[in-house]
Amino acid sequence: MSDDRAQPREGLRDRLTDRLYGLGWSAVKKLPEPVARTLFRTIADQVWKRRGKSVLRLESNLARVVPGASPARLAELSKAGMRSYMRYWMESFRLPTWSPARIKASIDVTDAHRLTDGLDAGRGVILALPHLGNWDLAGAWVTTDLKVPFTTVAERLKPETLYDRFVAYREGLGMEVLPHSGGAAFGTLARRLRAGGLVCLVADRDLSASGVEVTFFGDTARMPAGPALLAQQTGALLLPVTLSYDDTPVMKARIHPPVELPESGDRTEKTSSMTQALADAFAVGIADHPEDWHMLQRLWLADLEPREDRT
């Protein structure tokens, strides 16, 4: 029997969530930067102290990234991880007010030539990233410093008004944003790449349950097939990117060598090989800076809850 009270509660929660994000974008950008940094670090520490599901999941994920870490070390990493995660939000709320010069000064990109050479050659380029650092800042650098527009996809969020806020935010940074649903997004991405354009995808967690199984930090996870399939179908260059913070205000970015298209095998085999290569590149960046990996959800298949239709 359904509970009719659940829908009003859910609607209230959705409206509250939307208003809180709206407040973030309207108010946080007006704060003096030292105040904003202190505020969001305090929020991070308070969330970490409560030891909620997200913090415990983050520690569980970090235990795979840093095998053999003591409970004290995992707690230290998860605390740093929540601070990194809140830094992402603080920067994102303020990013629409940053000048192109400020954006350029806030990111240091290693091997940017791999991206610019691919674009200069008239070849479509796919940048694939894990949930490391601030991928919105990296995208803003592409559109403002390189002056290159790009297309990305966004997970549909609830409530719909919150999704609309995120789309408007990213479009305001110069991105074309497609909804992560159905097959229409793939076709549009392929057209952009065939025209020599740029596509950027966060690609370390599969949202469709039809992704590619990869070995990731010694166990099986599932990652989206889209980047590899797009590269095969369009001939675009597939470049892994990893991001990280340090003690400075400048985020570090590294563009890794391109993922090569295997010479043999059918489409499924090639997709599996290329997605594994992406996972390996992501693992390098995550292992170097585990505290900047904002993976607060289940990822490895062994951690996923069994589906109800399984016996």
Side-chain angles (χ1 to χ4, degrees):
M1 181 179 297
S2 63
D3 185 351
D4 292 337
R5 295 171 295 179
Q7 290 184 349
R9 285 199 299 268
E10 183 176 343
L12 178 61
R13 184 170 59 248
D14 287 348
R15 290 194 297 273
L16 179 60
T17 300
D18 178 58
R19 288 173 184 172
L20 286 173
Y21 278 99
L23 179 64
W25 270 300
S26 63
V28 174
K29 62 187 178 184
K30 298 176 183 177
L31 294 174
E33 187 152 331
V35 173
R37 289 188 180 278
T38 300
L39 172 63
F40 276 75
R41 174 167 286 208
T42 300
I43 293 171
D45 290 349
Q46 290 300 316
V47 171
W48 178 79
K49 286 180 181 178
R50 285 201 295 267
R51 310 290 292 164
K53 290 183 179 179
S54 295
V55 173
L56 296 177
R57 174 50 50 191
L58 177 60
E59 283 189 9
S60 176
N61 291 338
L62 289 171
R64 293 180 180 273
V65 174
V66 189
S70 67
R73 174 59 176 155
L74 287 176
E76 179 183 80
L77 281 173
S78 68
K79 185 174 184 178
M82 292 309 299
R83 288 181 172 184
S84 175
Y85 185 50
M86 285 298 116
R87 175 173 171 175
Y88 161 80
W89 281 112
M90 187 274 294
E91 289 179 347
S92 295
F93 287 141
R94 298 173 68 85
L95 196 52
T97 67
W98 286 7
S99 67
R102 171 66 190 275
I103 291 171
K104 181 178 181 179
S106 298
I107 184 169
D108 179 20
V109 183
T110 299
D111 292 326
H113 67 91
R114 289 178 171 141
L115 168 59
T116 55
D117 288 352
L119 293 171
D120 289 345
R123 186 177 180 183
V125 177
I126 305 162
L127 296 181
L129 307 87
H131 287 79
L132 268 174
N134 189 337
W135 44 95
D136 288 327
L137 173 56
W141 171 77
V142 170
T143 58
T144 59
D145 191 46
L146 298 186
K147 296 180 172 56
V148 175
F150 68 85
T151 305
T152 188
V153 297
E155 179 184 0
R156 280 207 172 274
L157 303 171
K158 292 183 179 181
E160 191 75 14
T161 51
L162 180 57
Y163 171 77
D164 292 340
R165 285 187 189 275
F166 272 95
V167 170
Y169 158 63
R170 290 183 170 129
E171 287 179 342
L173 298 176
M175 312 175 192
E176 179 187 21
V177 183
L178 307 175
H180 188 285
S181 59
F186 187 92
T188 302
L189 295 173
R191 288 193 294 274
R192 299 291 184 269
L193 292 168
R194 290 194 185 99
L198 175 64
V199 164
C200 298
L201 301 170
V202 180
D204 58 342
R205 184 167 68 96
D206 178 57
L207 297 172
S208 67
S210 60
V212 178
E213 291 189 3
V214 296
T215 300
F216 196 54
F217 290 102
D219 208 343
T220 304
R222 188 181 291 120
M223 295 188 180
L229 288 172
L230 284 167
Q232 291 177 66
Q233 189 165 313
T234 66
L237 194 67
L238 177 54
L239 295 173
V241 179
T242 55
L243 310 170
S244 63
Y245 291 128
D246 56 20
D247 293 332
T248 74
V250 180
M251 183 177 73
K252 307 302 186 290
R254 176 186 175 191
I255 301 179
H256 295 251
V259 173
E260 300 294 340
L261 177 65
E263 295 182 358
S264 60
D266 59 22
R267 187 174 74 164
T268 299
E269 292 168 336
K270 290 179 179 179
T271 300
S272 178
S273 175
M274 295 173 75
T275 306
Q276 182 64 60
L278 272 183
D280 292 343
F282 293 166
V284 170
I286 293 167
D288 286 344
H289 299 277
E291 68 280 3
D292 291 324
W293 189 39
H294 306 152
M295 185 55 64
L296 279 66
Q297 303 85 17
R298 299 174 190 269
L299 178 69
W300 283 271
L301 299 191
D303 295 335
L304 297 178
E305 295 177 354
R307 287 169 45 184
E308 292 181 1
D309 58 348
R310 289 179 183 168
T311 57

